[in-house]
Amino acid sequence: MQGKFITIDGNEGAGKSTQIDFIYQYLKNKGISAVLTREPGGTELGEKIRELLLSNSTGKMHSDTELMLVFAARNEHVQNKIMPLLEQGEWILSDRFSDASYAYQGGGRGLDIARISQLESWVLQDFTPDMTLLLDVPVDIGMKRVESRGKKDRIEWENLGFFNRVRDAYIARSQQYPDRIKLIDASQSIQNTSNQIQEILKIL
Ligand code: Z5A
């Protein structure tokens, strides 16, 4: 049986972690034991890069450096984990992948999309997820959901304008790649959002 690579992405508080658990269980009930992973991270080195990217103690970082670090972590992830697992026929569920770079570094930080695309081609060549579930929630609702966590990481200190640009960039990606990226209204209840996801997963 051939493995599949499914990614889940979205703006702050969209419910990715909540829904990835649902997807994992849904697949398990169908007899598929998926491997859960995340970005930035997913490998030992990738998790160290994640710490650099998200720790408040890192301080200021040039946006190009941030972009290259997320792709460095991604290269480790794809070469040393995702590809080998897919070759063994495993299904992989990743909490975030390259669309996040277009949204956060492209939309949020304002980096040139053509440069992100160049870096993506260099690192991934033509490798893309089989399916991306994009959870979309208005920024104010998402923020309220994550506020209760109290602690903010280095990127979460950004202003509302940044997070609105992130959301807009995600939506633009879903319009550009409608076959791969499935846009889900994540402003609904957890159950309603899971129901939308379940309908989409039926096509796999
Ligand atoms: N980043 C980047 O800049 N470039 C890249 O290329 C990549 C990443 C790959 C790490 O992300 C950061 O890395 C992220 C982007 C950047 N930056 N920031 N900031 P992360 O995915 O590890 O962490 P996160 O983005 O902070 O996750 P999140 O958005 O905070 O959480 P979530 O997974 O989407 O949501 P959740 O944990 O499932 O839910 C949050 C709360 O809301 C929780 O209490 C739930 O019970 C509740 N919830 C969830 N769904 C609902 C619904 N439907 N209704 C009500 N309440 C809900």
Side-chain angles (χ1 to χ4, degrees):
M1 192 177 166
Q2 228 190 328
K4 284 202 188 296
F5 179 42
I6 301 167
T7 64
I8 183 157
D9 232 308
N11 52 327
E12 305 299 300
K16 293 174 289 88
S17 312
T18 308
Q19 298 299 339
I20 212 165
D21 290 343
F22 167 77
I23 299 166
Y24 178 84
Q25 204 48 54
Y26 172 86
L27 292 176
K28 201 167 176 203
N29 293 342
K30 301 233 165 273
I32 298 164
S33 176
V35 175
L36 293 178
T37 189
R38 68 172 180 180
E39 287 210 350
T43 63
E44 210 180 317
L45 178 54
E47 290 294 325
K48 287 183 183 163
I49 298 174
R50 178 188 178 92
E51 174 64 20
L52 266 179
L53 282 161
L54 300 185
S55 168
N56 287 305
S57 65
T58 299
K60 267 177 84 86
M61 185 186 290
H62 192 283
S63 301
D64 285 344
T65 310
E66 190 177 89
L67 178 70
M68 288 187 278
L69 282 176
V70 292
F71 270 99
R74 182 162 301 132
N75 189 57
E76 280 295 309
H77 198 200
V78 171
Q79 299 295 339
N80 294 336
K81 186 169 183 180
I82 296 173
M83 291 289 199
L85 284 169
L86 282 174
E87 277 161 20
Q88 290 163 30
E90 299 284 352
W91 285 54
I92 303 161
L93 290 178
S94 183
D95 190 336
R96 296 197 188 277
F97 195 61
S98 337
D99 296 303
S101 305
Y102 286 91
Y104 283 83
Q105 282 67 50
R109 300 279 188 229
L111 292 184
D112 183 4
I113 296 298
R115 286 183 75 191
I116 301 175
S117 173
Q118 269 180 343
L119 192 49
E120 185 185 39
S121 305
W122 191 66
V123 172
L124 300 182
Q125 284 144 55
D126 54 3
F127 178 72
T128 48
D130 292 293
M131 178 187 275
T132 297
L133 297 156
L134 175 58
L135 304 189
D136 174 61
V137 68
V139 171
D140 55 336
I141 298 179
M143 290 292 187
K144 276 204 192 82
R145 289 183 190 165
V146 293
E147 254 166 27
S148 56
R149 276 201 301 240
K151 246 177 73 190
K152 288 184 178 186
D153 66 37
R154 194 184 60 86
I155 297 176
E156 284 169 343
W157 290 102
E158 288 300 332
N159 60 30
L160 216 56
F162 175 94
F163 290 109
N164 275 312
R165 290 195 301 278
V166 168
R167 182 185 182 210
D168 291 346
Y170 270 127
I171 293 171
R173 293 281 295 165
S174 73
Q175 287 163 348
Q176 198 179 350
Y177 301 102
D179 291 342
R180 172 176 66 85
I181 305 180
K182 310 295 179 193
L183 187 66
I184 290 151
D185 177 4
S187 66
Q188 307 298 312
S189 67
I190 291 175
Q191 184 60 56
N192 179 298
T193 307
S194 300
N195 291 347
Q196 293 177 60
I197 291 173
Q198 185 165 333
E199 275 311 301
I200 291 165
L201 291 177
K202 282 181 184 161
I203 65 169
L204 280 172

